[in-house]
Amino acid sequence: MAISNWPLYIDDKTVKDFQSASGISTTYTEDFNDNEEYYAKVKKILDQCNSIGRDIIVPTDWMANRMIGLGWAAKIDPAKVPNRVNLLDSLAHPSFDKDRTYTMPWQSGMTGLAYNKKLVADLGVKPPESFKDILAPAFKGKITLLTEMRDSVGLFMLMEGQDPSTATYESATKAFDALENASSSGQVRRFTGNDYADDLSNGNIVAAMAWSGDVASLLQNNPDLVFVVPPEGGMLFSDNMMIVATSEHIADAEAWIDYVYDPKHAAQITAGAQYISPVKGAGDELAKIAPDLASNPLINPPEDVQKRLHVFTKLEPEEEKKFQHPVPADPQRLTKTWLANLCVRAASRRTRCSRRG
């Protein structure tokens, strides 16, 4: 049984433990570096209903939606995954897979604002709470935003008072224009994948649009880093286990899903990945093996933070194209910088080392 997952997204024991417990030979490969990149790699093969040499892959919500629509996902037999009852209620009925017929979440995470509190103090400004704060002149050229459309557009929609969970192209227009302004004015140093993490940790930038799991890891080496979910809200994402339709080891894949949905095993994974577990009871088990992580709000966010998190709406293919290539309200402002940011989207993403991109 073969699994493709994102880099540094598991502990170093679970795969071996699963093989010992189940007797199933398992190959675990960290080669899912970017949703669009992976999609392009397997598209021709799966369109011809051929094997990609993988049984489980782990796309993010929106890519899972696309792959399900293309018929690339096998149904998961609930009887073979009794531990699915441990799935958090908040993740049980996503718009792209209403009854979790084809997917089960691997880990979840938050997208918000991260900054270096020492460098902010050096600027002589108060610590930022919102993305509006880092658009102030003091931060010019000292911030990065993300190439991931749903994160950048979603967070800027929230900044503009719009809800990304019900986004339309029209309701996102102010967010597109705000992103264009930030880009063309030089306010944003660059748009990145998760390679922002090194710049943030090393003090090359003051603030960044960031993923919670990255910051949880970076804090081990730089205690001056702070992650906040703005008062107006942050984004919530999940990466999802999906059994490939051409898999010849569906029963083995279901056994893996069931295994990792045992709270003890889920806690072990979370201790390694340092993202948010989708498994009920994992937090209690994590407290037994890593109490510091269990009390970390980046891994176990408090209820008031959870209430401010939004999942970007499901987009149909034509709407997706419009969101990926928006045009500013004033066509005269279709600058080279704006075009470059669109073109750099795929090139600048990196592995989810530390982790996400």
Side-chain angles (χ1 to χ4, degrees):
M1 196 264 293
I3 302 168
S4 277
N5 206 345
W6 301 86
L8 302 182
Y9 214 12
I10 196 170
D11 62 290
D12 58 3
K13 297 179 181 179
T14 295
V15 175
K16 293 178 182 178
D17 290 350
F18 171 72
Q19 290 186 108
S20 297
S22 66
I24 297 171
S25 177
T26 303
T27 301
Y28 182 96
T29 308
E30 297 182 333
D31 63 345
F32 205 116
N33 295 320
D34 174 83
N35 282 290
E36 291 287 3
E37 175 189 282
Y38 200 89
Y39 170 79
K41 182 168 68 173
V42 302
K43 185 179 188 304
K44 289 184 179 179
I45 302 171
L46 290 176
D47 278 348
Q48 296 172 2
C49 297
N50 292 324
S51 172
I52 60 170
R54 298 290 187 269
D55 302 291
I56 293 177
I57 59 177
V58 190
T60 306
D61 295 329
W62 60 272
M63 181 56 74
N65 173 58
R66 184 191 298 180
M67 291 179 168
I68 291 169
L70 291 169
W72 293 0
K75 289 185 177 181
I76 299 171
D77 184 350
K80 300 289 182 60
V81 189
N83 280 331
R84 66 183 286 129
V85 298
N86 294 326
L87 173 62
L88 290 174
D89 294 342
S90 59
L91 297 172
H93 302 287
S95 60
F96 65 90
D97 190 12
K98 285 290 188 182
D99 297 312
R100 288 291 180 185
T101 304
Y102 298 99
T103 62
M104 289 290 282
W106 173 254
Q107 297 280 281
S108 295
M110 302 177 286
T111 313
L113 171 63
Y115 63 89
N116 185 313
K117 61 185 180 183
K118 183 177 180 181
L119 296 182
V120 168
D122 290 344
L123 293 178
V125 297
K126 68 176 184 179
E129 297 180 352
S130 167
F131 282 94
K132 284 186 177 179
D133 296 333
I134 64 170
L135 296 181
F139 289 89
K140 186 172 183 178
K142 299 178 176 68
I143 66 172
T144 58
L145 301 180
L146 292 168
T147 56
E148 184 65 47
M149 181 275 290
R150 285 164 177 78
D151 288 326
S152 287
V153 174
L155 286 166
F156 269 58
M157 285 186 70
L158 289 167
M159 184 185 76
E160 295 291 344
Q162 299 292 329
D163 184 356
S165 66
T166 57
T168 63
Y169 186 83
E170 288 70 25
S171 70
T173 299
K174 288 184 178 180
F176 294 142
D177 285 344
L179 285 165
E180 163 62 9
N181 281 331
S183 173
S184 61
S185 68
Q187 185 72 25
V188 179
R189 177 175 295 187
R190 64 191 184 106
F191 287 73
T192 75
N194 89 292
D195 46 328
Y196 74 85
D198 288 339
D199 283 338
L200 184 64
S201 182
N202 295 331
N204 297 328
I205 55 174
V206 177
M209 187 178 287
W211 290 299
S212 57
D214 281 352
V215 180
S217 296
L218 294 174
L219 276 166
Q220 298 174 32
N221 297 317
N222 189 340
D224 290 327
L225 299 182
V226 178
F227 179 89
V228 296
V229 174
E232 63 267 22
M235 300 304 295
L236 176 69
F237 65 86
S238 294
D239 296 319
N240 305 272
M241 292 179 285
M242 189 181 85
I243 301 175
V244 183
T246 55
S247 169
E248 296 180 356
H249 307 97
I250 290 178
D252 293 345
E254 290 168 333
W256 166 265
I257 296 172
D258 190 59
Y259 183 86
V260 300
Y261 263 74
D262 180 299
K264 289 184 178 180
H265 304 151
Q268 183 170 283
I269 292 168
T270 296
Q274 297 193 23
Y275 270 77
I276 303 169
S277 176
V279 179
K280 292 177 182 176
D284 292 337
E285 294 296 331
L286 186 63
K288 298 175 184 177
I289 61 173
D292 290 346
L293 291 179
S295 61
N296 186 334
L298 298 181
I299 297 170
N300 191 17
E303 187 174 346
D304 67 307
V305 171
Q306 293 184 41
K307 288 180 178 179
R308 300 204 306 276
L309 298 175
H310 301 256
V311 176
F312 203 91
T313 190
K314 174 183 175 181
L315 296 175
E316 298 302 327
E318 288 305 312
E319 194 81 351
E320 171 84 19
K321 291 178 183 177
K322 292 173 66 178
F323 268 84
Q324 291 287 2
H325 300 283
V327 177
D330 180 1
Q332 296 301 316
R333 291 175 49 247
L334 190 62
T335 64
K336 290 182 179 179
T337 304
W338 175 257
L339 290 172
N341 285 331
L342 293 176
C343 295
V344 81
R345 180 175 287 117
S348 68
R349 288 173 182 158
R350 296 294 183 265
T351 60
R352 297 191 180 190
C353 299
S354 309
R355 198 237 38 141
R356 191 169 167 81

